[in-house]
Amino acid sequence: MTRYIRHAAAFCALLLIALLINATRVQVFQADSLDANQANRRNAIVRFAQPRGDIMVDGRPVTGSKDTGEQLRYERTYKNGPLYAPVTGFASQVYGTTFLENAEDDILSGTDPMLAPLPLWNDITRAQNPGGKVETTIKAPVQQAAYAGLGGKRGAVVALEPSTGKILALVSAPSYDPERLSGTRRAVADTWAELNGSSAKPMLNRAIRQTYPPGSTFKVVTAAAALDSGAVTDPDAPTKSPNPYTLPGTSTQLTNEVDGCTNASLRYAFQWSCNTVFAKLGVDTGLGPMLGTARNFGFNDGGLKIPSSVAASNFDTSMDKAQLGLSAIGQYDTRTTPLQMAMVSAAVANGGSVKSPHLVDRTTTDDGDVVDTEGAKSLHQAMNPGTAAQLREMMTQVVDEGTGTNAAIPGVTVGGKTGTAQHGIDNSGTPYAWFVSWAQADDDPEPSVAVAVVVEDAAADRGDISGGGSAAPIAKAVMEAAIRAR
């Protein structure tokens, strides 16, 4: 009898050991994979069990949370959703997060360990921190002016503070209301299908995720490369540029839409946007200096984040002379985001220094304690300070008496460059209208805002599209709002 008891006890001990081994395997070795399993709803339930932290503009929340009483309890809400959608993105129980909602998710959801009152506090107590706050660099009046200026037309506007890289406005149109993607109702799925199926692509962030041919606004980069490399030593000297100009190795001839471009000086060619002068200037400067200057402005940088990722702007690294001539006037394969062109304008305004563009000023706990701050950081020196000073003069002349007079602001020094970018097969598409600019009020020691505007209005007549006519008035309104808000 004792032998049977011993055997039974040994068998029970083996079962207990097996149970402990299995529990250890599940709780220790398989914990991460089980935690990440899509069938495990516990994480989602915990994630939405408390209000999400807010995204702030000018010290006021543009987001909120609504208690639904359902299993995924708190849904994200948005104030002026379409206005701020390119900034906030969306936070959806079904479709995840985008833009700031994604890039700052740890702060907003309360999972960032920096939100804990003490190191390892949450690991010990298993507590969940309240969601923190993300304070943006956006200025509400500037954002509103950019949004109203586009008026629903397809396009984008970016405004920067040149000396710091702070993003004052980030607008993409047409837009959408991200609150329509909150929750788990059938209407959310219908909205998702509607937004993704729309030919207008309202969820595409044209300001940072869409690239366009920059057209004549790229002549700012070409002029900087020519001046820095010594291809041009005197901006007032004739450039020996024929009109028309035959692209090297081809029979293709470039012409101009204005008179006076034959052998025009760099200053005159910039003021009136002579394609022949700048195409030849790009060829004379050479691929190496052109590519180096473009890179210093930020082209070909696939790692830029604001903190959301930004599409890389492109300037080809290998081209023949004809292709280089077209690239020098913002055509061929040269493509750029509106953010990149705002960086180009800001560099001119800031003595040639390109500051890292950023959308977040600081993050805090729910009760206002600072978690992290974002200061001004330099990315590159795009050009010599002397070259930047010359370009500021030339951009000012564009607005005072050239192609950009629609951007002039009384009592304010404004510099700008127009662009009308051809695209499509045989340039058959309606051109994109561009304007890049900066503004300095009389009582300011330096320019306080740099702007890039692109309008891609497919409904407009080709003859009505121009950077000076379609985009410059929008830039003017944005610059006026930025000067008032400073």
Side-chain angles (χ1 to χ4, degrees), residues 161-432:
E161 187 174 73
S163 61
T164 63
K166 290 182 178 181
I167 299 175
L168 307 178
L170 189 77
V171 169
S172 175
S175 191
Y176 71 102
D177 187 354
E179 190 168 331
R180 296 178 64 197
L181 296 173
S182 297
T184 57
R185 301 172 299 280
R186 176 53 190 260
V188 172
D190 293 342
T191 297
W192 181 259
E194 171 198 327
L195 293 173
N196 282 282
S198 172
S199 61
K201 299 181 179 179
M203 288 200 297
L204 172 63
N205 193 330
R206 289 169 163 84
I208 63 172
R209 295 283 175 85
Q210 178 70 17
T211 59
Y212 302 87
S216 292
T217 58
F218 191 79
K219 291 171 183 174
V220 177
V221 179
T222 302
L227 288 165
D228 265 1
S229 67
V232 172
T233 55
D234 181 359
D236 293 305
T239 55
K240 299 180 181 180
S241 304
N243 182 20
Y245 171 62
T246 303
L247 292 171
T250 75
S251 58
T252 301
Q253 291 187 328
L254 291 181
T255 58
N256 302 289
E257 296 185 4
V258 295
D259 297 326
C261 291
T262 302
N263 299 326
S265 68
L266 175 62
R267 187 182 305 277
Y268 182 93
F270 193 92
Q271 182 178 348
W272 295 106
S273 208
C274 298
N275 285 333
T276 53
V277 174
F278 273 90
K280 182 177 183 298
L281 196 57
V283 173
D284 292 346
T285 301
L287 178 59
M290 285 289 294
L291 178 59
T293 300
R295 281 176 169 164
N296 286 339
F297 274 107
F299 282 78
N300 299 340
D301 182 358
L304 184 64
K305 295 180 183 295
I306 63 169
S308 304
S309 60
V310 177
S313 296
N314 179 69
F315 187 83
D316 278 5
T317 59
S318 177
M319 291 182 277
D320 61 29
K321 290 184 177 180
Q323 293 165 342
L324 179 58
L326 290 173
S327 295
I329 60 172
Q331 297 292 163
Y332 185 53
D333 282 344
T334 303
R335 295 186 67 87
T336 176
T337 61
L339 173 65
Q340 175 62 69
M341 292 314 298
M343 293 166 62
V344 168
S345 185
V348 174
N350 194 44
S353 177
V354 181
K355 297 299 183 182
S356 179
H358 56 281
L359 194 53
V360 176
D361 192 28
R362 64 177 185 171
T363 56
T364 72
T365 62
D366 67 316
D367 55 4
D369 293 333
V370 175
V371 174
D372 194 17
T373 58
E374 182 74 31
K377 299 175 183 176
S378 295
L379 282 181
H380 306 282
Q381 185 70 27
M383 68 197 110
N384 293 324
T387 297
Q390 289 177 308
L391 278 171
R392 280 173 67 163
E393 285 184 14
M394 290 190 286
M395 290 182 76
T396 302
Q397 289 172 329
V398 168
V399 175
D400 287 347
E401 52 190 32
T403 59
T405 54
N406 283 336
I409 303 172
V412 176
T413 302
V414 177
K417 183 69 190 79
T418 56
T420 306
Q422 306 292 334
H423 68 101
I425 299 173
D426 295 326
N427 292 332
S428 59
T430 302
Y432 299 136

Side-chain angles (χ1 to χ4, degrees), residues 415-481:
K417 183 69 190 79
T418 56
T420 306
Q422 306 292 334
H423 68 101
I425 299 173
D426 295 326
N427 292 332
S428 59
T430 302
Y432 299 136
W434 276 97
F435 194 74
V436 299
S437 60
W438 50 265
Q440 179 179 356
D442 286 346
D443 57 348
D444 279 345
E446 58 188 8
S448 58
V449 60
V451 178
V453 177
V454 63
V455 180
E456 45 166 313
D457 188 4
D461 184 88
R462 281 179 63 91
D464 294 335
I465 285 286
S466 72
S470 302
I474 300 173
K476 174 183 178 180
V478 172
M479 291 185 290
E480 287 177 322

